Amino acid sequence: MKNFDAVVSAPGFSLGVRCNQDEVTGIEFLEPRAEVAPKSLLAKETVRQLRAWLKDSSFAFSLPLAPAGTPFQRKVWSAIAAVPAGRTRRYGEIAAKIGSGPRAVGNACGANPYPVVVPCHRVVAAGGANQGLGGFARQRGGFLLDVKRWLLAHERTA
């Protein structure tokens, strides 16, 4: 079992948080489990912000995120972070914006170490959120796709 600096419960899933002294180093979707009290001030602040977002999907995160990923992944994550709550973008739209292909964008989404904070759930397949969610966190179905459905419903995404 992986060690987390905190675990936050959400409807139907949990979020595992990892931090160092100065930055959040990762957030991970987990099957539902007991909460773990924050082990540091930054973990406590991360939990506070995640809970604020769970109560109000328009909450804007302001967490110090550890640099991660390749230059291409960071470009994708930056484009995803610009998608407003309540909206979606297709993989192809993000790809066109950054001069890449949809599959490469999907791979970068799957490598996102900060789900929810960097809202990769807002990126959907060509048919849109109502016709095709695409994958989520490198999965094509099951638990994580159910999480993506919940995240989009939470944000009242059309």
Side-chain angles (χ1 to χ4, degrees):
M1 184 173 181
K2 297 178 181 179
N3 291 325
F4 294 99
D5 296 301
V7 174
V8 179
S9 294
F13 62 98
S14 294
L15 293 162
V17 174
R18 287 193 186 85
C19 307
N20 61 31
Q21 199 65 7
D22 301 315
E23 301 161 317
V24 178
T25 59
I27 298 172
E28 187 175 328
F29 289 112
L30 307 169
E31 296 277 350
R33 63 181 64 190
E35 290 200 349
V36 172
K39 297 178 182 174
S40 69
L41 289 175
L42 181 54
K44 184 176 181 178
E45 177 59 15
T46 303
V47 166
R48 185 194 72 74
Q49 290 192 31
L50 287 168
R51 285 189 175 135
W53 181 83
L54 287 164
K55 288 180 183 174
D56 176 4
S57 64
S58 67
F59 177 83
F61 289 96
S62 61
L63 294 168
L65 305 177
T70 66
F72 174 76
Q73 288 171 331
R74 290 191 301 270
K75 186 187 258 188
V76 171
W77 300 335
S78 178
I80 291 167
V83 178
R87 303 281 189 201
T88 59
R89 296 291 181 270
R90 292 176 180 85
Y91 293 100
E93 290 175 306
I94 299 288
K97 180 177 179 165
I98 65 169
S100 182
R103 188 173 305 255
V105 169
N107 286 334
C109 286
N112 174 11
Y114 307 110
V116 178
V117 176
V118 177
C120 53
H121 60 276
R122 296 178 189 156
V123 184
V124 297
N130 295 325
Q131 295 179 6
L133 294 178
F136 190 54
R138 296 190 171 144
Q139 303 295 314
R140 299 291 303 167
F143 164 71
L144 290 173
L145 209 52
D146 290 340
V147 170
K148 184 172 183 172
R149 284 185 190 95
W150 185 89
L151 295 168
L152 291 171
H154 176 60
E155 293 185 343
R156 297 173 195 84
T157 305

